Amino acid sequence: MASVLVVEDDPFVRSALIRHLTDAAHTVRSVGTALEALREVAHFRFDVVVLDLGLPDLDGSEALKMLRGITDVPVIIATARDDETEIVRLLNAGADDYLTKPFSVEHLSARMAAVLRRSRGAAGELPPETVLRVGGLTVDPLRRQAELDGLRLDLTRREFDLLAFLAARPGVVVPRKELLAEVWQQSYGDDQTIDVHLSWLRRKLGETAARPRYLHTLRGVGVKLEPPGGEPPR
């Protein structure tokens, strides 16, 4: 069971989602505007937010940026926009997943289950007290904090999950299929999803794909994290 906030201005769609999610034993609150959504997340704790983009007071993509400023709650975008550039922009803005309208409630349930699995346990297989150290990078799965050379990294939940998974396997090339399965909890998906989050994470680590320090992509194989300059993992 999860606590869900549905942000949808269409009363028919909204009622259908509330009914289905309630029947599935979820606790549901719903609003029809972006500002109401911001007030809800500021006052209540949610496990997941289902966010429509076509809101009457504020475009959902802007609402997403504002949500990310106050919470890291998983957000599933519900949108009629299927343009690839728009989808990448939403992922860069902090969306955890997206659904293109029209979609079935069963499809939504499956995506919600995957997002909740990731948010509740995607830091990897290590015991929570283990602090991971790779060169000047420190990752604490219990506190969900990461530091680079003593400075705190401001990471989204998905960025942290990806970094923690790779940091638990320093120097090991992790296939993209394994990243999708373990970090995204998906058996299939678009490689661009991984590329977007790797690019986002690289910027926060102060590196680029052309000049990597910690994150290295092996074309057609996978991704590995290792300390710069051949320094052995600690």
Side-chain angles (χ1 to χ4, degrees):
M1 184 179 75
S3 175
V4 185
L5 175 63
V6 173
V7 188
E8 169 64 62
D9 68 319
D10 185 313
F12 177 79
V13 175
R14 188 168 161 185
S15 296
L17 291 176
I18 293 171
R19 182 173 62 254
H20 171 77
L21 294 171
T22 302
D23 289 346
H26 297 300
T27 301
V28 184
R29 292 179 66 90
S30 66
V31 294
T33 68
L35 293 180
E36 288 176 312
L38 291 170
R39 283 195 291 267
E40 286 288 306
V41 298
H43 290 91
F44 300 97
R45 181 181 179 88
F46 295 99
D47 296 310
V48 63
V49 173
V50 180
L51 176 65
D52 176 38
L53 291 186
L55 299 173
D57 60 335
L58 189 66
D59 185 80
S61 60
E62 293 301 316
L64 174 64
K65 292 179 182 178
M66 296 175 72
L67 283 170
R68 279 291 165 258
I70 59 176
T71 180
D72 64 351
V73 61
V75 176
I76 299 176
I77 295 293
T79 176
R81 308 170 194 175
D82 59 358
D83 178 70
E84 183 176 293
T85 301
E86 175 72 0
I87 291 170
V88 171
R89 186 170 72 87
L90 291 168
L91 291 172
N92 271 323
D96 292 83
D97 206 344
Y98 65 90
L99 284 170
T100 303
K101 293 181 177 180
F103 55 83
S104 67
V105 289
E106 290 77 16
H107 193 177
L108 173 61
S109 291
R111 292 297 184 96
M112 275 183 52
V115 165
L116 289 170
R117 284 197 300 271
R118 294 195 296 266
S119 67
R120 289 170 175 170
E125 301 171 357
L126 292 173
E129 66 272 12
T130 301
V131 176
L132 308 170
R133 293 183 175 86
V134 181
L137 183 65
T138 302
V139 181
D140 187 336
L142 178 61
R143 295 177 177 80
R144 295 189 64 83
Q145 294 178 0
E147 294 182 352
L148 179 61
D149 298 328
L151 297 177
R152 176 84 172 269
L153 293 173
D154 183 15
L155 304 177
T156 65
R157 194 191 69 261
R158 184 67 57 78
E159 290 169 349
F160 182 88
D161 291 342
L162 177 59
L163 181 64
F165 189 83
L166 292 171
R169 300 154 180 81
V172 176
V173 179
V174 181
R176 289 172 173 266
K177 185 176 181 180
E178 184 177 347
L179 287 176
L180 280 172
E182 298 297 332
V183 178
W184 276 265
Q185 297 293 314
Q186 296 178 7
S187 58
Y188 64 92
D190 189 347
D191 277 2
Q192 192 170 39
T193 298
I194 298 175
D195 290 335
V196 166
H197 287 87
L198 282 173
S199 176
W200 203 1
L201 187 54
R202 278 192 176 102
R203 287 198 296 270
K204 295 184 179 181
L205 292 175
E207 61 182 69
T208 65
R211 302 185 65 181
R213 295 183 65 237
Y214 284 89
L215 290 169
H216 300 265
T217 300
L218 281 72
R219 187 180 300 274
V221 182
V223 182
K224 69 176 177 178
L225 185 144
E226 63 182 8
E231 177 187 346
R234 291 182 285 168

